[in-house]
Amino acid sequence: ARLRQIQTYHMDTRGWCDIAYHYLLSRDGQLWEGRSARLLGSHTGGANTGNLGVSVMGAHMTTPITAGQQDALAGLIRGLATQHDVAITRSVIKGHRQHTSTDCPGDALYGQLDAIVAKAAAGGGGGGGGGGPTTVTVRGTLWLGADTTARVAGATVTLGGRTTTSAADGTWAFTAVPA
């Protein structure tokens, strides 16, 4: 529900085509895909080219992120850096305030970035391998446009070389997907 609120705000209030960020991390340590990584983000005005935006949901001025969130974020950083052949260093992995004048990502989280990047560089954390599960379940729901009550049944969903069909309520899932 919170992700849909963010999407509605970004699309209906800000006028963007989708969520500004490519990935979002919720308080429970779950990673969510926002805008497709193939598309230019809107996460940091004037500095969106050549990077991927990751939002850690919540306010982090005084509240640090949890160990589970740190692990998931380190795994995501490691996985994306490997996929895009990017060095895992603090000169490459940046907080929002390093691109533009803002308090984001909050003082507490900004203070954690060195340790998170070091964990990613050392192969620690989950979500991108090396400490997380070896397989995961990927699931979703298809609906028409922004109307979440208009579910799409019988659609073909493809992930890698695998396909499945959405159920009557629009849901679909792939099990045993490599993490």
Side-chain angles (χ1 to χ4, degrees):
R2 180 66 182 123
L3 212 54
R4 296 297 283 163
Q5 290 172 337
I6 292 169
Q7 184 179 41
T8 297
Y9 172 73
H10 284 191
M11 292 174 71
D12 297 345
T13 302
R14 304 288 276 203
W16 298 327
C17 65
D18 200 345
I19 292 175
Y21 300 92
H22 298 100
Y23 299 94
L24 297 97
L25 175 62
S26 54
R27 184 79 179 156
D28 60 3
Q30 288 190 67
L31 286 164
W32 304 86
E33 183 180 20
R35 186 177 299 211
S36 169
R38 295 185 312 266
L39 302 175
L40 183 68
S42 295
H43 49 280
T44 183
N48 292 305
T49 302
N51 65 60
L52 295 172
V54 179
S55 171
V56 179
M57 296 163 60
H60 302 288
M61 281 304 287
T62 59
T63 305
I65 65 172
T66 67
Q69 287 175 297
Q70 290 178 51
D71 284 346
L73 190 53
L76 177 64
I77 290 168
R78 186 179 61 260
L80 291 172
T82 299
Q83 180 181 358
H84 297 285
D85 194 27
V86 173
I88 305 175
T89 66
R90 280 293 282 124
S91 62
V92 174
I93 312 298
K94 299 179 179 182
H96 191 169
R97 64 176 66 174
Q98 292 173 275
H99 288 286
T100 189
S101 180
T102 179
D103 287 335
C104 186
D107 292 342
L109 175 51
Y110 189 76
Q112 293 176 291
L113 289 181
D114 287 343
I116 293 166
V117 171
K119 181 181 275 193
T134 57
T135 63
V136 296
T137 297
V138 179
R139 67 183 83 230
T141 305
L142 299 177
W143 55 79
L144 294 174
D147 182 0
T148 59
T149 63
R151 305 289 174 99
V152 179
T156 300
V157 180
T158 303
L159 177 66
R162 298 168 58 184
T163 61
T164 190
T165 303
S166 61
D169 64 354
T171 61
W172 56 267
F174 292 96
T175 59
V177 176

